[in-house]
Amino acid sequence: MELQESMAYVERCFREEPASCECVCPFELNIRDFLKKCAKGRWPAAYRNLSEAIAFPSVAAILCPRPCEGRCQRTVLGDAPLNMGGLERACIRFAAAEKAQDFPLPPKTQRIAVVGAG
């Protein structure tokens, strides 16, 4: 299937509803947004998507069984599914090359003491 035909198929199919791959993702990752940012080369922004959905993205990129690949709409068109594991690993590698982000924590207003902890 040609690129234009497949794009028309996708537009007709989804209309901003969650994609079938998003529905089976155990982490509820916004796959469309992640793929758009990866396609534009916005690796830190794509990594932010991963880290919002997954507590440890580098571990999950290795251990995830990737059920999303089985539900990829490209398979309906007779094409191979997107390699989400490879994209996640590339995102992690390229985002690591960027400057690290600061995550400022709000100041603490109260204190606690742990009694009996040795």
Side-chain angles (χ1 to χ4, degrees):
M1 184 174 277
E2 295 295 322
L3 179 64
Q4 299 297 358
E5 293 172 352
S6 65
M7 294 300 288
Y9 175 80
V10 169
E11 289 299 321
R12 216 176 37 246
C13 179
F14 292 127
R15 291 198 176 96
E16 296 306 319
E17 294 177 10
S20 57
C21 53
E22 285 182 35
C23 295
V24 297
C25 179
F27 304 110
E28 298 177 3
L29 173 67
N30 186 349
I31 295 176
R32 277 192 193 158
D33 195 33
F34 174 73
L35 291 176
K36 285 179 187 177
K37 290 176 182 174
C38 287
K40 292 179 182 177
R42 297 177 52 209
W43 300 110
Y47 183 77
R48 244 187 327 269
N49 273 19
L50 276 177
S51 62
E52 287 173 1
I54 306 168
F56 299 104
S58 56
V59 174
I62 297 168
L63 298 178
C64 182
R66 288 181 268 297
C68 55
E69 290 181 3
R71 296 291 302 266
C72 184
Q73 291 297 309
R74 291 175 60 136
T75 59
V76 174
L77 300 173
D79 202 2
L82 291 175
N83 183 2
M84 285 301 293
L87 285 170
E88 289 171 356
R89 287 189 297 273
C91 174
I92 291 166
R93 186 174 57 238
F94 290 133
E98 299 285 328
K99 182 180 177 276
Q101 292 180 334
D102 291 332
F103 293 103
L105 298 175
K108 297 177 183 170
T109 59
Q110 298 177 349
R111 292 182 175 202
I112 63 167
V114 179
V115 179

